[in-house]
Amino acid sequence: MVRVALTAALVAVLLLAVPLALAIRSSLYADQRDALERSALAAAVHVSPDYVTGDPVELPAPASGGRLGLYDPRLRLRAGSGPRPGDTPVRRSLDGEVAQSRAGQDLVVAVPVTHAEKVIGVVRASSPAAAVRNRVAMTWLLLLGVTALALAVAVLVARRQARVLAAPLEDLSRQCRAVTEGDLTVRAAPSSVAEIDQVARTHNEMLHSLSELLRRERDFTANASHQLRTPLTGLQLALEAGLAQDDDARLRPVLAEALVTTQRLHHTVEEVLRLSRSGAVTRPTAGTIAVRELLGETEDRWHGLFAQDGRRLECATREAPADIRIPGASVSEVLGILLDNARVHGRGTVRMAVRDLGDALAFDVSDEGVVAGEPSRLFDRGRTCGGEGTGIGLALARELAVSLGGRLSLTNRHPATFTLLLPVEGEEAEGEETPGRGRERGTGPG
């Protein structure tokens, strides 16, 4: 804004001050010539026609620094002061006209003296041009000072106006930074600028709507988790009581399987609730489990479902490292989503394996199907691998992976392969040291 104001002021100076300076210069020179002409006319009144015969002529005293002289038709100086003989202005004035000219460093005006309609002489008045130049210079300096003052005032006004406009914008910027840091309670204050106030009102309305939306989502998550926890807890207690009291050999395995499923459902509710509390990376609070044990439990849980569909599930349990422990509930949820995705949208044999990468583990879930569509959009909510499903599973799996500090990605389209990359530390299982393991992995993530 200061640059705009300064540019506008400079343009105004160029459009106004420069022509004004030229006009002042022309006016001062014209005033000086007029003054010389009046002086010459006043002297011509005192000239008598008898001066030619020797009658003395008394000319008025010239202005300070100037000269005043009377010339006869032969260009001879008869009275006063001036060049000998008469110069060009005197010669022109003998034709009966007032001559204005510049001779050397002087401004000259020559006025004819007439008698009986004849020119009987010429009065020549002159003054130094330097005096006029000095007046022009002084006037221009004054004009320059006024221009500088105008520019200074323009800059001060522009800076003040810029502060008036910038203050609410800076305040709005601070509010936006606070919102990006997670504070949705900040609101932009009104200002004296209508356009900025309109932006601030829109910003505040957006924050209010966003806060209400997040509040409703949090309330829904809390209410749903609370309403699910209570019946799940009651169901677990009922199943545990049934296992303790029922001696029927055929019913006990069913009750045990129902109890495990209920516990797994309880862990799922806890994981979803943990994700809803914060968008940042938050480590799960549940206990850890050995990788080999987790793969074994996952295989036992999903083997029957794939067998019902006439498909095979192969799990490289023996190749899994036995000395590394990972968050069991969260990783189990991610692997469950990937296996369910392979069962619903994939085809053929499904394989689950784990690779030790030193400071991370890579869990691969693959089938014999083909992933169609754009891979970068595969994990967006609402997008599915096929025509069925809600498009939530893979998005939830990726969020769970990020909450663990890992990454979930599609590593191969044919055969379809999803990989969960999970950073781990060199922890020894059961607190026992495995020879060579600490040297291979180190004491933490590389």
Side-chain angles (χ1 to χ4, degrees), residues 184 187 206-215 218:
L184 299 182
R187 294 294 184 270
M206 177 193 67
L207 285 181
H208 177 72
S209 301
L210 183 60
S211 300
E212 286 296 313
L213 177 62
L214 293 177
R215 183 187 62 80
R218 285 194 297 265

Side-chain angles (χ1 to χ4, degrees), residues 120-137:
I120 62 174
V122 174
V123 175
R124 179 185 183 276
S126 65
S127 65
V132 182
R133 286 199 300 269
N134 292 338
R135 292 174 59 191
V136 170

Side-chain angles (χ1 to χ4, degrees), residues 313-331:
L313 173 62
E314 297 180 356
C315 183
T317 306
R318 295 182 179 179
E319 300 175 3
D323 61 336
I324 301 178
R325 303 183 68 85
I326 57 177
S330 301
V331 177

